[in-house]
Amino acid sequence: MQDGKKTLYSAIQPTNNLTIGNYLGAIKNMTALQNDYNCFYAVADMHAITVRQQPAELRAKTLSLIALYIACGIDPEKCTLYVQSHVPAHAQLAWVLNTFTYVGEMERMTQFKDKSARHADNINMGLMDYPVLMAADILLYGADYVPVGEDQRQHLEITRDIAQRFNNAYSPTFTVPEGIFMKVGAKIGDLQSPDKKMSKSAENPNGSVFLSDDKDTIIRKFKRAVTDSGSEIYYDPVNKAGISNLLGIYSVFSDKTVQEAERDFCGVGYGEFKLAVGEAVAEKLAPIQREQARLLEDKQYLNEILKKNSEYASRTAGRTLAKVYKKIGFYQL
Ligand code: TYM
């Protein structure tokens, strides 16, 4: 921990394959901000089990996500990179926070409603309680900021409400966090239906570009991306959702502003534009994929990082939990 720096928290679920939406909405900012903040970045495996997982797959995807974080440029010597289930305080604080959260609030969460519809045979308590666990994640570390995509905004709001409720009931205990959203990347659209967010579990696999896709697959998906009538390339998310989504993807992947991206494609046809976006994405992802594969060969190194970092995370989280237990009146030995 470096003094004087504010704290940043974020996490990603190790479910399915991560998409370029996860990269642009979250990982890009997590990487960019690591030098200026004390960062805690987790693999949210406890959130993942709210939908049924294959145990062997969950284990493999957990390590794979740790390798991906590092391959994307997150430095495990600077950031506390760890697995959520390795720090028991998450579950412990979530239990306490449950008693500061109303059932009606959880029932109104958009993601809960969506997931309940998609997993109608398994609407378990965890699925509903998911935002409370997320609040526990964030509040345990005193996070000032949380870089996430637009779809997590509502969960962040409820985290703020829960923190304030607890602070008002006792005395200031939790930092009330704020979200950090990418200007362009916060809501990457599905390539086949740009009004919907690109998702790990899309019905049409051509709509999502996975971080593990090879170059040919990436180019094919971009070539098939839905565009709009007309032939000009400019940013107008309301009337030109498809083209604007592609411009956004291109601009963040090539570190250019949207205006610069528009200039690059002035007078260019849609076909050529889509190919260029695909190429920019493939070019950026290839070295990340190679580095992730290399890291996964060295399980011992990854395990050492996890062990060291989860000890540090446990100590930090344990301090917050101890304060909470004391304030609510749990008997102390
Ligand atoms: P998850 O695993 O669904 O997504 C990880 C991150 O990717 C962002 N994201 C997107 N951003 C832009 N465009 C998209 N199409 C897109 N799809 C996903 C998400 O907003 C997220 O930032 N509940 C969280 C994980 C979590 C968490 C936390 C996050 C658990 N505890 C504490 C922050 C703080 C989730 O399921 O993200």
Side-chain angles (χ1 to χ4, degrees):
M1 155 103 75
Q2 290 168 39
D3 288 338
K5 288 187 177 176
K6 297 231 174 202
T7 300
L8 203 75
Y9 190 94
S10 201
I12 298 180
Q13 291 190 71
T15 43
N16 301 318
N17 288 322
L18 265 65
T19 71
I20 57 169
N22 300 121
Y23 179 76
L24 299 177
I27 300 178
K28 192 95 206 289
N29 255 342
M30 292 161 78
T31 314
L33 299 168
Q34 64 181 329
N35 293 322
D36 302 325
Y37 296 88
N38 291 316
C39 300
F40 291 86
Y41 294 147
V43 174
D45 55 346
M46 291 163 68
H47 279 101
I49 62 164
T50 56
V51 171
R52 212 55 79 217
Q53 303 292 331
Q54 290 291 336
E57 219 172 88
L58 180 60
R59 259 190 295 277
K61 292 208 155 138
T62 298
L63 201 65
S64 175
L65 180 49
I66 291 289
L68 180 73
Y69 273 139
I70 302 173
C72 288
I74 289 171
D75 180 351
E77 298 297 328
K78 278 189 201 146
C79 307
T80 308
L81 198 57
Y82 71 103
V83 176
Q84 187 186 30
S85 66
H86 293 179
V87 179
H90 290 253
Q92 292 169 302
L93 182 63
W95 180 254
V96 175
L97 298 182
N98 273 330
T99 66
F100 290 84
T101 312
Y102 300 104
V103 172
E105 289 176 314
M106 296 294 99
E107 283 171 338
R108 283 196 292 277
M109 292 283 124
T110 310
Q111 205 166 82
F112 172 65
K113 288 194 272 187
D114 287 353
K115 286 197 179 172
S116 302
R118 266 191 283 137
H119 304 278
D121 55 338
N122 182 21
I123 307 177
N124 60 71
M125 286 302 292
L127 197 61
M128 187 166 162
D129 203 26
Y130 180 115
V132 180
L133 179 60
M134 186 163 155
D137 298 344
I138 298 167
L139 300 179
L140 275 174
Y141 299 93
D144 299 279
Y145 298 107
V146 182
V148 277
E150 198 52 52
D151 62 336
Q152 298 299 319
R153 195 183 279 275
Q154 203 181 27
H155 293 160
L156 207 61
E157 281 305 314
I158 198 76
T159 299
R160 291 168 55 86
D161 291 347
I162 295 172
Q164 274 157 349
R165 228 170 260 167
F166 189 95
N167 289 350
N168 291 340
Y170 298 93
S171 55
T173 310
F174 295 126
T175 305
V176 181
E178 279 175 43
I180 297 186
F181 301 91
M182 291 287 280
K183 271 202 197 81
V184 177
K187 191 177 177 196
I188 297 299
D190 184 288
L191 295 190
Q192 293 299 315
S193 350
D195 298 330
K196 283 200 251 154
K197 80 161 184 180
M198 185 181 286
S199 148
K200 295 175 193 162
S201 51
E203 278 158 34
N204 182 345
N206 285 324
S208 295
V209 177
F210 299 108
L211 296 180
S212 56
D213 281 346
D214 61 25
K215 183 170 181 179
D216 289 348
T217 310
I218 295 172
I219 302 274
R220 181 171 45 77
K221 287 179 179 176
F222 277 103
K223 275 189 180 163
R224 289 189 188 166
V226 167
T227 46
D228 330 271
S229 56
S231 58
E232 279 179 75
I233 296 168
Y234 59 89
Y235 195 73
D236 176 357
V238 178
N239 299 306
K240 287 176 90 72
I243 290 293
S244 303
N245 191 37
L246 294 176
L247 268 173
I249 294 172
Y250 176 84
S251 86
V252 191
F253 265 106
S254 54
D255 290 313
K256 293 183 177 179
T257 63
V258 171
Q259 288 72 26
E260 284 167 338
E262 281 176 338
R263 276 200 292 277
D264 282 358
F265 296 109
C266 182
V268 169
Y270 280 178
E272 200 182 319
F273 167 58
K274 291 199 276 186
L275 185 64
V277 181
E279 276 173 349
V281 173
E283 200 178 304
K284 194 79 169 198
L285 292 187
I288 294 177
Q289 291 167 349
R290 279 196 299 275
E291 180 62 2
Q292 185 189 20
R294 190 190 68 78
L295 286 161
L296 282 169
E297 295 281 308
D298 196 350
K299 196 171 162 190
Q300 196 188 338
Y301 166 71
L302 295 174
N303 281 346
E304 276 163 20
I305 286 176
L306 289 181
K307 187 160 185 300
K308 194 172 106 197
N309 283 338
S310 64
E311 279 165 7
Y312 180 69
S314 292
R315 278 200 303 281
T316 311
R319 280 197 293 275
T320 307
L321 187 72
K323 267 196 238 165
V324 169
Y325 273 16
K326 198 167 169 200
K327 291 198 186 191
I328 55 178
F330 284 173
Y331 181 71
Q332 316 272 306
L333 286 178

